[in-house]
Amino acid sequence: MFDIAVFSTLFVTLFVIMDPPGITPIFLALTSGRPAKVQRRMAWQAATVAFCVIAVFGLFGRQILGRLHISTPALMIAGGLLLLLVALDLLTGKSEEPTQTKDVNVALVPLGMPLLAGPGAIVSVILAVQHAHGFAAQLSVWAAIAAIHVVLYLVMRFSLVIIRVIKDGGVVLVTRLAGMMLSALAVQQIINGVLQVIEGA
């Protein structure tokens, strides 16, 4: 039988951590200036990359981190630093340069990872898979993982409508706001990682 409690708990947890509504301005900022066809493809790629990363860590997360001797706080701090670099680019306008548009697929980094498949989501999935006993619980966990990524794709896919409404000037404003939000998120993630290190010392 399908376990609704397990499904809803993990889905809500991932929804809060991955924040589909909050990803909209960041997606708009990172994909502005690209053709609509490319933006739709990037929405699909970002959701797919995030799902693959989450799935890999769901299946082999503890073994991977243990083999590389990587602690959860270290993963959080590294992810926060990477997000902070992206946020600074958005705030200074460097993300609008043509060279970056051509050379970097933002659907992979930072959208797919670590923005969507970040340390918080990864750790939550590792714990959920570990605590899911029996076929029904495991099915519910993986259904929740799949469902949240469908939601993420739909949110990014239909955020393209917003681009057509707000035009170039609005995209610049959204880019700066997204940079500010993302920098705060990155700093908070670094702080959380540092606090965990201190608590574990």
Side-chain angles (χ1 to χ4, degrees):
M1 294 293 291
F2 189 80
D3 195 327
I4 295 295
V6 172
F7 173 88
S8 58
T9 299
L10 181 57
F11 181 85
V12 170
T13 300
L14 291 177
F15 189 94
V16 171
I17 293 173
M18 302 176 92
D19 190 17
I23 201 65
T24 301
I26 298 172
F27 178 80
L28 293 177
L30 292 174
T31 61
S32 63
R34 294 172 171 83
K37 183 179 180 180
V38 174
Q39 291 171 327
R40 288 193 294 269
R41 186 174 72 244
M42 293 178 75
W44 171 253
Q45 287 177 335
T48 302
V49 168
F51 176 79
C52 291
V53 171
I54 290 292
V56 168
F57 275 95
L59 293 171
F60 311 109
R62 285 197 170 276
Q63 294 89 329
I64 293 173
L65 296 180
R67 179 70 61 139
L68 297 176
H69 304 291
I70 297 175
S71 65
T72 300
L75 193 64
M76 295 177 68
I77 294 172
L81 289 173
L82 181 56
L83 290 180
L84 187 57
L85 291 175
V86 175
L88 292 175
D89 280 347
L90 292 177
L91 285 170
T92 57
K94 291 182 180 179
S95 62
E96 297 171 1
E97 295 178 1
T99 53
Q100 183 166 357
T101 302
K102 292 180 181 178
D103 299 338
V104 177
N105 186 351
V106 297
L108 307 180
V109 177
L111 274 175
M113 182 178 181
L115 193 53
L116 296 179
I122 288 173
V123 172
S124 297
V125 167
I126 291 175
L127 294 176
V129 170
Q130 182 184 5
H131 295 151
H133 302 294
F135 175 77
Q138 286 288 337
L139 177 63
S140 303
V141 165
W142 289 102
I145 294 171
I148 191 61
H149 285 87
V150 170
V151 171
L152 286 167
Y153 165 71
L154 292 175
V155 167
M156 290 185 289
R157 169 68 177 80
F158 290 103
S159 66
L160 302 181
V161 177
I162 301 175
I163 291 181
R164 291 194 286 271
V165 173
I166 64 177
K167 307 297 183 183
D168 291 341
V171 169
V172 173
L173 176 60
V174 168
T175 299
R176 300 297 182 266
L177 291 174
M180 187 177 301
M181 292 166 51
L182 191 57
S183 62
L185 177 66
V187 170
Q188 185 61 57
Q189 189 165 295
I190 294 171
I191 291 173
N192 292 342
V194 171
L195 289 176
Q196 287 194 22
V197 171
I198 295 173
E199 291 172 0

